[in-house]
Amino acid sequence: MTEDIRWEKTHCARMDQGGCALLVGVKDNKIVQIKGDPDGYLNKGYTCFKGRVSADRLTHPDRLKHPLKRAGKRGEGKWHQVSWEEALDETADNLKKIRDKYGARAVGFGVGMPKGLEHFVQIRLANIFGSPNLIASQDVCHAPREVTGIHTCGFYPVADLHNPTELIVLWASNPASTNEEGQIASQFYAQLKKGAKLIVVDPRRIDFVDQADCWLQLRPGTAQALALGFIHVIIEESLYDKEFVEKYTYGFEDLASHVKEYSPEKVSEITWIPADLIRKAARMYAAAKPAALQWGNPIEHDVGVFDATRSLVCLMAICGNLEVPGGNVNAHDPKIMGLGPFVRADLIPDKRKEMISAHYGIIPRLMTVAPAYFRKAVLEGVPYPVRGYYGMCTNPLVAWADSKTTYEALLSLDFLAMAEIFMTPTAAMADIVFPVAHQYEMNDIGHYGIGHGMIVARPKIVEPPEACWPDMKIINELGKRVSPPELWHDDFEAFLEDVVKPAGLTYREFVEKGYLKGPDRFKSYVEKGFRTPTGKVELKLSTAEKFRLKPLPEFSGFPEEDDPGFPLLLISAKSQYYLLSSYRWVPKLREKRPNPKVEIHPETAATYGISDGDPVVIETKYGEVTQAAHVTDIVHTKVVSASLGWWFPEADPESQYGWQKSNFNMLTSIGKLGKEFGTPNLKNLPCRIRKA
Ligand code: SF4
């Protein structure tokens, strides 16, 4: 009976990076329905299919419900159940043993995408334990945009879709498929409805192309060349914002002479986009006042990421789109606890010098270790040995580039513990596996510490299975075992209180409000300047020499050399039904996307004798996998787009759930890395295909 249903408010989590406000219907401690909350600040009632079935993540019969200790060889799939006491003691003893023998930095602490407060409690654990090594895929996700923004204009410029804008550029972003923090497809749809023009920059013909005024189907891996081509046109035709450039930028003359070589004709040769279309799109962007550039994560998927993100911030700046409503803005946090005190950064003052990646001269402000460098430390002892790893919300064996190297690294560790909701290929290699409570089963705060100027409440809706603990509780209890207990809370929920206390709220009061948003402040540079060494937007980096960075963004070649033996270019796209390597075990999602598919243009498919649905071997210099052909003209004839994050929960535990068969990262390598962030080439890989 519908009248028996209790409706609770919360926000979606761990399905993408968005934060739709939800109404969750509960009956007998079971979630029976999820719908969008019309009062939601970000989504105004919108949800996607994935969000509406998100409670199904909790109910699979094979969900982990007991702490497990490895019984057979690593990865053999043999376990026995142990108590929480035993699992925590065993983990603490092993981490301390490694610390005693090699030093605290020999333990890496791992996180996946930041989904809630546990991400920051894990950083706190690493800091208090004494390890500077927080391992995260930030080199390919978020940090390049954020850190490059900070170096160039003093902040991370996010697209402001809350205020009216004249033009949106979706640059490698597909909001119908996956959302950024603080941004939901509904905001984007509303802007289009109000008449905003649209430019899509994407190698795939995403659905929004049908509504776009301009689609630039660029050759993958050439974003920086295209952005520099835009800047060339805008400066050559004198379309830039002269007052802003004169008063608030540094190095304009150098940039202007530098981009002379990026004529639309030359850029066209690099990017495959007709020169006239480059001119048209650049003029549209310059003419729109304001224009919001919604830049997506794929920009960060090859070794040229620093130049790509730098050139895009320069583009925003010279057109006067920084810090204006409807442009790209600095999202200010509400009055909440700062990240530094929360993670106890004070306890590890030399972190920047001590972390593994410091050895490689990475860009300042990147405070996590790129997975490629972590594995070099594990396998080669460079710059020092790393022997232990504790990971949560992460599945490195499938999610990190170069799965074969990841396998070797995980196999060689002295100790590996994982916290998971479901047995994954990575958890299957662990010595200890902790079963976690998931969203709806714990009180949590979302969007903390990720630069979008708001936090959202995610209160507990139902009780978790008896032996499943929230990650925050696991870390809190582990922390007490490996460090002075007074640095931890009696009850982990005190972390939630800590965050909202500066706002004068208890966690309960915060839940009543639903979210906290920072103040909108536009054009604060007029009074305060930009938070860069010169006080201006640094089109040319004043710190380039000091930090061994390029002063001006450039296109210095394709991510990998063209190779006649591998005549196609491989990219990947995220599915709207999964989150990276998660949730293949959720039946309603699996029904929507039962198998990994590789998109192949009809002409290309015909050349190779491939029909729709055929199993296809995709091969790069680094490995091969099999996926099913999806013959479609949404991709270029020279590009194939494979599915990401695949493993098979239904496969044998002995095979570690078929982690090699269709896993995109069997095709990638960490042999070549971008210097600034340690980013590997996740896309833009020369490949060949054949019918299996
Ligand atoms: S759009 Fe993202 S945040 Fe919203 S319901 Fe879907 S997965 Fe959840």
Side-chain angles (χ1 to χ4, degrees):
M1 299 292 264
T2 47
E3 53 269 29
D4 297 338
I5 297 176
R6 168 172 59 92
W7 289 95
E8 301 274 357
K9 286 180 180 244
T10 188
H11 287 84
C12 185
R14 303 167 179 234
M15 296 307 270
D16 64 12
Q17 291 283 67
C20 287
L22 304 176
L23 290 172
V24 181
V26 185
K27 198 174 167 187
D28 304 328
N29 197 41
K30 284 206 177 62
I31 295 173
V32 291
Q33 195 185 342
I34 292 177
K35 54 190 183 185
D37 181 352
D39 298 331
Y41 171 72
L42 291 171
N43 61 319
K44 311 274 186 291
Y46 171 88
T47 52
C48 71
F49 180 80
K50 197 163 56 171
R52 290 192 295 277
V53 304
S54 56
D56 290 20
R57 293 172 294 177
L58 313 178
T59 52
H60 195 286
D62 295 339
R63 180 177 170 183
L64 294 171
K65 294 203 183 100
H66 304 277
L68 298 173
K69 182 174 172 179
R70 177 161 64 84
K73 285 194 207 134
R74 187 166 280 174
E76 208 178 21
K78 294 189 178 146
W79 307 94
H80 46 243
Q81 283 179 27
V82 291
S83 67
W84 271 102
E85 284 295 304
E86 192 179 342
L88 287 165
D89 287 345
E90 175 97 11
T91 302
D93 288 349
N94 277 286
L95 297 186
K96 285 193 285 188
K97 225 182 270 171
I98 293 169
R99 182 168 61 185
D100 291 345
K101 190 165 175 192
Y102 301 97
R105 62 189 188 175
V107 175
F109 291 85
V111 290
M113 287 164 72
K115 297 153 194 92
L117 210 54
E118 78 277 5
H119 183 92
F120 301 95
V121 183
Q122 180 86 328
I123 300 176
R124 182 185 170 100
L125 175 64
N127 290 347
I128 291 176
F129 184 80
S131 173
N133 294 318
L134 198 282
I135 320 301
S137 297
Q138 287 199 303
D139 56 315
V140 295
C141 184
H142 198 267
R145 279 170 290 170
E146 182 173 345
V147 175
T148 305
I150 290 168
H151 281 271
T152 307
C153 63
F155 65 90
Y156 169 35
V158 297
D160 176 17
L161 301 180
H162 294 281
N163 287 292
T165 190
E166 275 191 24
L167 169 76
I168 298 172
V169 184
L170 284 183
W171 196 302
S173 175
N174 184 2
S177 183
T178 179
N179 285 288
E180 295 278 314
E181 308 86 355
Q183 289 166 348
I184 302 291
S186 51
Q187 298 170 326
F188 175 73
Y189 291 123
Q191 293 278 1
L192 290 188
K193 225 177 185 176
K194 281 188 219 149
K197 293 200 175 81
L198 178 64
I199 295 174
V200 174
V201 180
D202 203 301
R204 295 170 72 245
R205 201 185 64 230
I206 59 173
D207 289 348
F208 289 115
V209 167
D210 292 343
Q211 296 168 66
D213 299 270
C214 220
W215 172 37
L216 307 180
Q217 188 180 24
L218 84 170
R219 173 183 165 139
T222 62
Q224 62 275 49
L226 181 59
L228 291 166
F230 271 44
I231 296 173
H232 171 105
V233 172
I234 289 165
I235 295 179
E236 189 186 60
E237 299 186 9
S238 205
L239 304 174
Y240 57 94
D241 183 328
K242 293 174 194 69
E243 190 190 342
F244 182 89
V245 163
E246 192 179 315
K247 284 191 184 163
Y248 303 113
T249 66
Y250 169 81
F252 178 73
E253 293 306 324
D254 291 301
L255 179 70
S257 77
H258 173 70
V259 297
K260 281 203 170 99
E261 64 174 293
Y262 293 94
S263 68
E265 285 68 27
K266 180 179 168 188
V267 170
S268 175
E269 282 170 27
I270 298 168
T271 61
W272 302 342
I273 300 166
D276 285 351
L277 202 51
I278 296 170
R279 282 201 177 82
K280 178 183 168 190
R283 288 170 188 153
M284 274 177 70
Y285 181 75
K289 304 284 176 212
L293 199 149
Q294 169 55 41
W295 45 346
N297 171 231
I299 296 168
E300 301 168 321
H301 287 177
D302 67 57
V303 296
V305 54
F306 179 63
D307 293 284
T309 47
R310 274 270 298 142
S311 48
L312 286 168
V313 184
C314 292
L315 175 64
M316 296 170 200
I318 64 164
C319 292
N321 281 320
L322 288 177
E323 275 213 80
V324 294
N328 283 76
V329 297
N330 184 5
H332 298 274
D333 273 338
K335 210 170 161 204
I336 51 176
M337 190 174 197
L339 262 187
F342 187 86
V343 303
R344 295 304 309 262
D346 57 306
L347 295 178
I348 189 153
D350 289 331
K351 174 169 172 155
R352 193 186 298 276
K353 285 187 241 151
E354 287 288 315
M355 55 204 284
I356 299 164
S357 41
H359 175 76
Y360 299 92
I362 49 131
I363 191 167
R365 306 295 289 259
L366 179 64
M367 297 305 283
T368 56
V369 175
Y373 296 143
F374 168 71
R375 283 167 289 172
K376 281 180 197 286
V378 174
L379 291 170
E380 299 163 22
V382 177
Y384 47 76
V386 170
R387 304 306 313 148
Y389 178 82
Y390 171 49
M392 53 150 215
C393 300
T394 182
N395 184 9
L397 190 53
V398 179
W400 291 354
D402 197 342
S403 293
K404 279 177 268 186
T405 303
T406 310
Y407 182 78
E408 284 167 32
L410 297 179
L411 205 57
S412 82
L413 285 170
D414 293 350
F415 181 74
L416 170 61
M418 295 293 298
E420 262 301 349
I421 182 172
F422 204 90
M423 189 59 79
T424 67
T426 304
M429 296 186 77
D431 300 289
I432 294 287
V433 180
F434 298 114
V436 300
H438 210 54
Q439 195 207 353
Y440 306 121
E441 298 173 336
M442 61 185 173
N443 289 316
D444 197 5
I445 293 174
H447 292 192
Y448 178 64
I450 44 182
H452 279 255
M454 67 184 298
I455 58 171
V456 296
R458 293 183 187 143
K460 178 156 84 172
I461 307 290
V462 293
E463 290 299 324
E466 200 183 328
C468 294
W469 287 12
D471 279 292
M472 277 184 278
K473 179 173 175 179
I474 302 171
I475 300 165
N476 194 51
E477 296 308 312
L478 191 56
K480 289 177 196 167
R481 285 166 166 81
V482 297
S483 56
E486 60 273 18
L487 293 171
W488 298 93
H489 288 300
D490 291 340
D491 179 348
F492 78 92
E493 294 209 340
F495 286 122
L496 307 168
E497 304 292 348
D498 290 344
V499 169
V500 295
K501 197 169 173 192
L505 298 171
T506 63
Y507 179 70
R508 271 298 129 206
E509 287 164 343
F510 166 60
V511 168
E512 285 305 308
K513 282 183 173 291
Y515 69 93
L516 286 180
K517 185 182 170 311
D520 286 336
R521 285 194 208 114
F522 302 111
K523 294 196 174 184
S524 50
Y525 55 80
V526 173
E527 278 182 22
K528 298 180 183 162
F530 286 91
R531 293 183 67 188
T532 61
T534 56
K536 299 186 171 194
V537 178
E538 298 207 342
L539 303 175
K540 177 183 173 184
L541 283 182
S542 68
T543 49
E545 208 174 321
K546 182 174 163 196
F547 298 140
R548 292 186 294 148
L549 298 168
K550 291 177 197 168
L552 292 160
E554 62 186 33
F555 176 75
S556 46
F558 299 118
E560 299 225 357
E561 295 289 308
D562 283 345
D563 183 336
F566 297 89
L568 300 168
L569 273 181
L570 179 66
I571 59 170
S572 65
K574 290 175 190 146
S575 163
Q576 74 258 47
Y577 298 115
Y578 301 116
L579 172 64
L580 300 172
S581 71
S582 300
Y583 308 139
R584 267 74 182 175
W585 67 88
V586 177
K588 283 185 197 137
L589 296 175
R590 193 66 182 274
E591 274 165 27
K592 291 279 184 189
R593 186 60 53 88
N595 292 307
K597 288 185 181 176
V598 54
E599 293 165 349
I600 307 169
H601 192 277
E603 285 175 28
T604 314
T607 304
Y608 290 92
I610 291 168
S611 304
D612 200 58
D614 282 348
V616 172
V617 176
I618 312 162
E619 191 183 355
T620 67
K621 276 186 274 180
Y622 313 113
E624 62 177 54
V625 299
T626 304
Q627 300 195 352
H630 176 38
V631 178
T632 167
D633 64 0
I634 73 168
V635 287
H636 194 281
T637 52
K638 295 181 197 155
V639 172
V640 295
S641 178
S643 299
L644 194 68
W646 270 89
W647 56 283
F648 300 90
E650 67 278 14
D652 286 342
E654 293 77 24
S655 75
Q656 283 179 238
Y657 309 101
W659 65 279
Q660 300 179 72
K661 186 179 163 198
S662 300
N663 167 11
F664 185 84
N665 278 318
M666 296 297 290
L667 304 170
T668 56
S669 159
I670 54 170
K672 188 176 177 189
L673 300 172
K675 183 192 124 352
E676 298 82 7
F677 301 97
T679 305
N681 288 322
L682 289 188
K683 295 195 168 90
N684 319 315
L685 298 159
C687 76
R688 59 188 172 215
I689 54 175
R690 65 177 190 274
K691 195 168 159 177

